[in-house]
Amino acid sequence: MLLLIIRGIYIVICVSALATFSFRNERSVPEIVRNYPVQAFFVTVGLSMFILLVDVATPRKRVETVSAIYFGLLIGVMLAYLLNLAMKPLFDMPEIFGREGAAFQGGMTLLSLLMLPYWCISFLLQTKNQFRFVIPYVEFSRELKGGRPLVLDSSALIDGRIADVVDTNIVDSEFIVPQFILQEVQDIADSHDKLRRSRGRRGLDVLKKLQQDPKVDIRVHEFEPRGAKTVDQKLVELTRELNGRLVTNDVNLNKLAGVQGVAVINLNDIANALKPRFIPGEHVRIRIIKEGEGAGQGVGYLDDGTMVVVEQGNREIGRDVDTVVTSVLQNSAGRMIFSRLVDNDR
């Protein structure tokens, strides 16, 4: 609402000021304006409204991008001024440029004012993630948030455990959700399949919860890496560019990022690290609910969802039995416990 008021005030001021300028018949006004006041009024109003049109057409502006352009222009003009100041004695030497020293100096000034600002703007735009010291205001609040940013995958949002991790207050880094990941979750939420739609909506709910949490610094990153075709490769390239860490529970994405040297935080690894340890010989009471893939196997689950495979347990389906752990299989995809029935229960 405030922005609309500011834009309205800008329009009123521009129209009033330019009308006064165009229809004032005084010598301080250029002759062409005095001869064609109506045309001059509409041309100048059109030029002033062009800036407003550019502002409305680009609603999502990034502070670091605008700052890079501003500082690039400022530094470029300053370098051009210093260069021309240093070259002026050279152009004043008649034995080199003769009587045309001033003309050559004018050409040099024009070229430097065109080339140096462009080069500085281009350089800062391409390296805006490394020149934070130039603009302390832009990155000051983010530096207080800790170390490298955490790039969230769609699987991490849909899984939902990342919100629980944040509630523990052990994470103080900035969270980044790429625009293409947000679009992917939105597409899943709009799916015709009921299960996929439910998972997508849960991902959006988790993102909303993170955005509303005052302890979390989270933003949507709109830039997409060039040349990357798949979503996984885009994630890896973006994480590398931001010098961040990728948060996911997708095993294949974990492997892809690891091969390319990108740091990964796997939510399954975190969950496995916090689960109680089972070692061979421990007793576990489990309810067998179905048959396993192997001959004679029965399958049950612990309260945290860990699968327990019981040898010769297919005959005990639907019953609670005591088992002895024989081995534990743990990887990034989860944990699986293998056990056998206690002899005295047989």
Side-chain angles (χ1 to χ4, degrees):
M1 185 62 184
L2 178 61
L3 186 58
L4 293 177
I5 295 175
I6 293 175
R7 288 171 177 170
I9 294 174
Y10 171 76
I11 293 174
V12 172
I13 292 176
C14 284
V15 172
S16 302
L18 293 175
T20 302
F21 172 77
S22 301
F23 296 102
R24 186 177 58 182
N25 191 12
E26 297 179 2
R27 290 188 175 276
S28 59
V29 178
E31 183 179 356
I32 188 172
V33 176
R34 295 199 306 268
N35 295 336
Y36 304 97
V38 176
Q39 293 87 337
F41 170 73
F42 283 107
V43 169
T44 52
V45 168
L47 291 175
S48 63
M49 292 302 106
F50 176 75
I51 298 298
L52 180 62
L53 179 63
V54 172
D55 178 43
V56 174
T58 56
R60 296 181 178 179
K61 305 175 184 67
R62 299 193 59 80
V63 175
E64 58 264 35
T65 301
V66 176
S67 300
I69 295 175
Y70 172 76
F71 277 88
L73 183 62
L74 182 64
I75 295 172
V77 172
M78 185 181 299
L79 290 177
Y81 171 76
L82 294 176
L83 177 64
N84 289 310
L85 192 64
M87 296 287 291
K88 188 177 185 305
L90 182 64
F91 290 110
D92 290 339
M93 299 176 64
E95 59 270 20
I96 298 179
F97 295 99
R99 298 180 179 180
E100 296 184 347
F104 280 105
Q105 184 179 4
M108 181 67 182
T109 302
L110 178 61
L111 283 177
S112 61
L113 286 174
L114 290 174
M115 296 170 58
L116 290 177
Y118 166 77
W119 182 82
C120 291
I121 292 173
S122 176
F123 176 79
L124 291 182
L125 283 176
Q126 295 178 59
T127 60
K128 59 179 181 292
N129 292 322
Q130 285 79 42
F131 77 99
R132 294 171 181 164
F133 63 92
V134 177
I135 319 172
Y137 172 77
V138 176
E139 290 294 334
F140 180 74
S141 62
R142 301 199 184 280
E143 288 178 358
L144 295 178
K145 284 294 183 180
R148 299 161 64 186
L150 303 178
V151 181
L152 297 181
D153 177 29
S154 58
S155 63
L157 288 174
I158 293 173
D159 179 87
R161 288 179 292 181
I162 187 63
D164 298 328
V165 174
V166 170
D167 288 338
T168 63
N169 295 321
I170 66 172
V171 179
D172 62 352
S173 297
E174 177 189 23
F175 286 99
I176 294 178
V177 180
Q179 179 64 40
F180 54 86
I181 290 298
L182 182 59
Q183 184 62 48
E184 181 182 16
V185 176
Q186 181 65 53
D187 292 340
I188 296 175
D190 294 335
S191 173
H192 297 292
D193 184 85
K194 183 177 180 180
L195 180 60
R196 283 176 54 84
R197 185 166 62 250
S198 176
R199 295 174 68 244
R201 289 177 179 175
R202 180 172 60 184
L204 294 176
D205 290 340
V206 171
L207 178 58
K208 183 177 180 180
K209 180 180 179 180
L210 292 175
Q211 290 176 328
Q212 294 176 344
D213 193 334
K215 303 187 300 296
V216 179
D217 186 6
I218 184 170
R219 65 184 174 92
V220 176
H221 192 85
E222 299 180 5
F223 176 75
E224 293 191 18
R226 298 179 180 178
K229 297 181 179 179
T230 65
V231 173
D232 287 355
Q233 188 60 41
K234 287 180 180 179
L235 272 172
V236 172
E237 292 294 335
L238 179 60
T239 305
R240 180 188 291 115
E241 179 181 338
L242 298 177
N243 191 29
R245 292 171 291 176
L246 180 60
V247 181
T248 182
N249 60 2
D250 187 324
V251 178
N252 293 328
L253 178 57
N254 193 344
K255 293 179 180 178
L256 176 64
V259 169
Q260 300 188 37
V262 174
V264 180
I265 297 177
N266 192 305
L267 295 179
N268 287 329
D269 289 341
I270 296 176
N272 290 333
L274 298 177
K275 286 179 180 178
R277 299 286 182 177
F278 290 95
I279 61 176
E282 285 193 83
H283 286 245
V284 178
R285 187 166 182 82
I286 191 73
R287 184 178 182 85
I288 301 178
I289 61 174
K290 64 178 182 179
E291 293 187 4
E293 296 182 358
Q297 291 181 341
V299 175
Y301 294 90
L302 299 179
D303 293 339
D304 60 6
T306 301
M307 178 184 291
V308 180
V309 178
V310 183
E311 297 296 333
Q312 303 303 320
N314 60 336
R315 291 174 292 181
E316 307 293 341
I317 294 178
R319 297 176 56 188
D320 293 331
V321 296
D322 291 320
T323 65
V324 178
V325 176
T326 57
S327 62
V328 179
L329 177 63
Q330 178 176 330
N331 53 35
S332 296
R335 175 182 300 186
M336 184 180 298
I337 298 175
F338 293 90
S339 63
R340 59 176 174 79
L341 293 170
V342 177
D343 293 338
N344 55 17
D345 281 352
R346 299 293 301 155

